[in-house]
Amino acid sequence: MAFEFHLPDIGEGVVEGEIVSWKVKVGDVVTLDQPIVEIMTDKATVEIPSPRAGTIAKINYGEGQVCPVGQVLLVIDDVGGTPWVAKPPGNGNGAHHAPAPAAKANVPAAIHVVDATPRAPGARVLAAPATRRLARQLGVELGGVAATGRHGRVTTDDVKRAATGAGAMVHVQAPHLARPQHAPIAIAHGGDEERIPFRGMRKRIAENMARSVSTAAHFTYVEEVDLTELVAVRERAKDRAKDRGVKLTYLPFIIKAVVAGLKKWPQLNASLDESTQEIVRKKYYNIGIAAQGPQGLAVTVVHGAEHRSIFDLAREIERLGEAVKAGTATRDEMTGSTFTITSLGKLGGVLATPIINFPEVGIIGVHKLEQKPAVRDGQIVIRWLMNLSISLDHRLVDGWDGAMFLQDVKTLLEDPTTMFMEMI
């Protein structure tokens, strides 16, 4: 008997998932709960197990394609039978890649097709966050897009069709909010090459970075910070931290200084709600930590940083880092940040211009800490110096505010006594 497996609801607000990799192919025999596919959503990457034992009879979506929640992802024949093999798109690499529909007649029965008629003015638009982001990038007004998704939901394909003028009214947003479009760039073969599919985490990182650069008006400010006193404080605290099973780095101290600065300069702990044209100042402090993970850049989130001690922050940072390395970080552990800190650790370099973790308005880059000669009271002395760079969204943050914020962070880091006085 053939069993149709519909993509389940795998998270609040998640309406579709990109197929990162299939663990099985048509004709494979699978057991109950055997991992069969890895899917990436707006929130996280998850591995989905087989809902029953049987033979994979049909796979409807190939790697790199997007499957809406509720659609038939694959068919399992639990009594045996002749497997169905989908024709792959392109050059035919992999028999399990399902072809993209070319016309309404070729659309699988599970996909709902509606007439290309815009909804009534003022009606609520149903769309995933990724779809809304794409609409803003393409300059498409969602209210004028005909929805083909379940329950009248606008899909990414609907937005792309609307952007080309196919089947729905298109309302172009103000030019400064719309990213110019261009034809896909083809790279000709030029010798010995390796071609890697552009999908999954790498593609999601690229989309997020491009969205940030094309929307936020970036500017960067840099300061040199003398951490000599903080180096001494950390050195004295390392043994106590070790006794508690904590690896104490400089990052917890930086987080504390950043939170204190954000409380004084609330415009930097904000976001712009483009749909309502409101600046949202957040009175909670969830600090994103951007670092390199096994699949690329990953941002984990220390929630409620304002309520945590230095040791507690160190413990949480280490826990989140291990979760990223193991691939077990949850959606909640990687979403909800209000301001981000990015660091390459010992490879921090002299200077960088970090890209804002949109829709936040600021990100601090932590650079290499090393001993250098410095002039103090007319004397050349050796000090522990480090650069901090901050990128800000000039739409919401003025240069003065950004510079004063970083000056306050610098003051707290250079004098740990004042930092501890700021703690609650």
Side-chain angles (χ1 to χ4, degrees):
M1 179 179 179
F3 169 76
E4 293 184 340
F5 179 50
H6 300 253
L7 180 62
D9 183 353
I10 49 182
E12 181 181 354
V14 173
V15 297
E16 61 187 17
E18 177 187 340
I19 311 301
V20 177
S21 64
W22 281 102
K23 311 296 184 184
V24 296
K25 62 182 182 297
V26 172
D28 282 357
V29 176
V30 296
T31 59
L32 177 65
D33 292 332
Q34 174 183 334
I36 55 174
V37 64
E38 186 177 8
I39 291 183
M40 174 178 289
T41 71
D42 283 347
K43 309 297 183 182
T45 299
V46 296
E47 197 172 68
I48 295 180
S50 176
R52 61 180 59 196
T55 301
I56 303 298
K58 180 179 179 181
I59 291 177
N60 287 339
Y61 294 86
E63 293 178 352
Q65 293 184 324
V66 175
C67 176
V69 169
Q71 299 299 321
V72 179
L73 183 61
L74 79 164
V75 178
I76 299 175
D77 187 349
D78 54 7
V79 296
T82 303
W84 179 94
V85 180
K87 295 181 180 179
N91 59 12
N93 289 330
H96 59 281
H97 286 234
K104 181 174 180 179
N106 294 329
V107 176
I111 297 180
H112 302 278
V113 179
V114 299
D115 293 335
T117 304
R119 65 186 49 77
R124 180 171 178 266
V125 179
L126 299 177
T131 305
R132 295 183 185 276
R133 286 197 298 269
L134 178 63
R136 287 192 288 267
Q137 290 172 1
L138 300 181
V140 172
E141 174 57 49
L142 282 176
V145 178
T148 64
R150 298 176 68 218
H151 309 302
R153 188 178 296 276
V154 176
T155 68
T156 55
D157 288 338
D158 295 336
V159 172
K160 292 174 183 177
R161 282 193 295 270
T164 62
M169 288 174 50
V170 178
H171 304 281
V172 179
Q173 297 177 342
H176 68 283
L177 294 179
R179 183 172 54 167
Q181 297 301 299
H182 56 76
I185 298 174
I187 306 299
H189 288 276
D192 187 13
E193 299 173 342
E194 177 184 8
R195 296 212 165 208
I196 303 169
F198 185 47
R199 57 174 177 251
M201 181 62 75
R202 185 74 264 161
K203 186 174 182 181
R204 190 58 52 87
I205 291 172
E207 291 171 347
N208 290 342
M209 295 297 101
R211 169 65 201 281
S212 181
V213 170
S214 66
T215 305
H218 282 65
F219 77 94
T220 301
Y221 175 76
V222 184
E223 258 297 353
E224 184 180 67
V225 183
D226 187 338
L227 292 188
T228 304
E229 299 300 324
L230 183 57
V231 168
V233 169
R234 173 180 172 266
E235 191 63 31
R236 291 196 299 269
K238 280 174 61 176
D239 288 342
R240 179 172 293 185
K242 186 176 180 181
D243 290 342
R244 300 188 183 188
V246 175
K247 180 182 179 181
L248 185 60
T249 67
Y250 294 102
L251 198 50
F253 298 97
I254 295 173
I255 291 176
K256 275 298 182 183
V258 165
V259 168
L262 292 175
K263 289 180 178 180
K264 188 174 179 179
W265 303 95
Q267 195 75 347
L268 277 73
N269 199 51
S271 294
L272 176 62
D273 189 327
E274 295 176 349
S275 64
T276 62
Q277 289 298 290
E278 295 175 322
I279 297 173
V280 183
R281 287 185 173 180
K282 299 160 187 177
K283 298 182 180 181
Y284 49 92
Y285 303 88
N286 301 334
I287 305 302
I289 306 298
Q292 190 68 16
Q295 296 183 355
L297 181 67
V299 179
T300 54
V301 183
V302 178
H303 291 269
E306 72 273 28
H307 303 304
R308 297 177 182 269
S309 68
I310 292 292
F311 285 170
D312 189 25
L313 286 170
R315 189 178 292 108
E316 181 69 356
I317 292 167
E318 186 173 10
R319 186 189 69 81
L320 291 171
E322 292 299 324
V324 168
K325 291 178 183 178
T328 59
T330 66
R331 177 173 61 91
D332 289 341
E333 292 170 338
M334 302 187 72
T335 57
S337 57
T338 61
F339 189 93
T340 295
I341 298 171
T342 180
S343 171
L344 284 175
K346 294 180 180 179
L347 299 177
V350 176
L351 174 65
T353 55
I355 296 176
I356 295 167
N357 186 20
F358 193 83
E360 298 164 24
V361 299
I363 182 171
I364 277 186
V366 178
H367 304 293
K368 189 175 183 180
L369 174 64
E370 57 184 345
Q371 288 185 304
K372 293 181 179 180
V375 178
R376 298 290 184 268
D377 299 324
Q379 301 293 319
I380 298 178
V381 295
I382 302 300
R383 306 290 288 181
W384 285 96
L385 301 180
M386 178 181 71
N387 287 337
L388 291 179
S389 60
I390 183 169
S391 293
L392 297 162
D393 187 345
H394 220 326
R395 298 179 306 164
L396 272 68
V397 182
D398 294 329
W400 171 265
D401 292 347
M404 292 304 296
F405 165 80
L406 195 58
Q407 287 294 334
D408 284 339
V409 171
K410 167 185 167 79
T411 297
L412 294 173
L413 291 174
E414 290 187 337
D415 186 352
T417 303
T418 57
M419 183 196 308
F420 297 134
M421 289 179 180
E422 292 283 350
M423 296 180 184
I424 57 171

